Amino acid sequence: MTDDFIVDVSRIRADARAKMEGGPVTETYGADRDRVVAVLNDVVATEVVCWMRYTRHAISATGIDRAQVSAEFSEHAKEEWDHALRAAERISQLGGDPDFDPATIVERSHTEYTAIPDNELKQMLRSNLEAERIVIGVYQEIIRWLGDKDPTTRRLMESILEEEEEHADDLLDLLGD
């Protein structure tokens, strides 16, 4: 048994030319593409719900710490929207259709949309921290499930996970508990 790395470039070139309509998805793609698209559409829904919750909280927050907390919520909202767009772009690359249907977003989301009373900054922080912790757990599971079958989607999810962990840390700092 040797550990030599050998690539049959002639075969790869022939496959690439014969199946151009596949775009970035080649014969070596190891995951169930339809299932990955479905999982990513749930990620899109989750990120849209998080964007809506953070945006609502940023706008409606009141109280002595409003400026700092609202600024953090606004920053997180922008990043959540970016996560949704990045997941949607990957869905498109895989030949799927990103699902932004408002009628099904909430039921497909891993987190809940919560409208906390305007003067309850701590509850807003706790609600968002809870959502971040849910997302962190789900995204870790997605990453493990993808493994080496789809390294591009795995890296996308790892990148999003890193930002979600930063959000949770930011929220915990603001809570000061």
Side-chain angles (χ1 to χ4, degrees):
M1 184 166 135
T2 72
D3 197 19
D4 293 338
F5 178 73
I6 300 171
V7 176
D8 184 351
V9 175
S10 296
R11 180 193 54 78
I12 293 171
R13 286 180 183 156
D15 287 348
R17 290 180 182 124
K19 299 172 182 156
M20 298 288 283
E21 71 284 352
V25 180
T26 65
E27 292 289 319
T28 58
Y29 183 78
D32 176 343
R33 187 172 17 167
D34 291 337
R35 185 66 184 124
V36 172
V37 165
V39 167
L40 286 175
N41 266 318
D42 290 350
V43 169
V44 168
T46 300
E47 296 296 334
V48 169
V49 167
C50 289
W51 169 77
M52 289 188 302
R53 187 182 53 257
Y54 272 124
T55 300
R56 199 281 187 189
H57 291 173
I59 292 168
S60 66
T62 63
I64 194 164
D65 295 321
R66 181 215 185 275
Q68 181 182 11
V69 172
S70 181
E72 196 68 38
F73 289 164
S74 292
E75 178 185 327
H76 289 194
K78 289 176 188 166
E79 291 172 351
E80 303 294 355
W81 184 248
D82 181 61
H83 298 165
L85 294 179
R86 289 166 54 202
E89 179 63 32
R90 182 61 182 154
I91 290 166
S92 183
Q93 289 172 352
L94 292 171
D97 294 315
D99 187 352
F100 285 92
D101 184 352
T104 64
I105 288 225
V106 171
E107 66 192 47
R108 290 183 290 116
S109 175
H110 301 114
T111 63
E112 298 171 330
Y113 176 87
T114 53
I116 307 295
D118 298 354
N119 63 342
E120 295 289 336
L121 289 181
K122 276 204 177 248
Q123 186 55 38
M124 288 179 188
L125 288 164
R126 288 182 193 284
S127 172
N128 286 306
L129 179 56
E130 177 184 308
E132 293 294 355
R133 290 180 50 77
I134 291 166
V135 166
I136 289 166
V138 170
Y139 292 2
Q140 288 171 341
E141 290 295 321
I142 292 170
I143 290 163
R144 280 191 280 279
W145 171 69
L146 288 167
D148 292 334
K149 297 177 286 191
D150 182 344
T152 303
T153 303
R154 186 192 69 236
R155 284 192 315 271
L156 167 68
M157 293 305 302
E158 289 169 344
S159 172
I160 292 171
L161 173 63
E162 180 181 1
E163 290 181 4
E164 302 295 8
E165 289 173 344
E166 288 172 12
H167 293 175
D169 189 50
D170 293 342
L171 294 167
L172 191 61
D173 287 347
L174 285 169
L175 274 166
D177 292 344

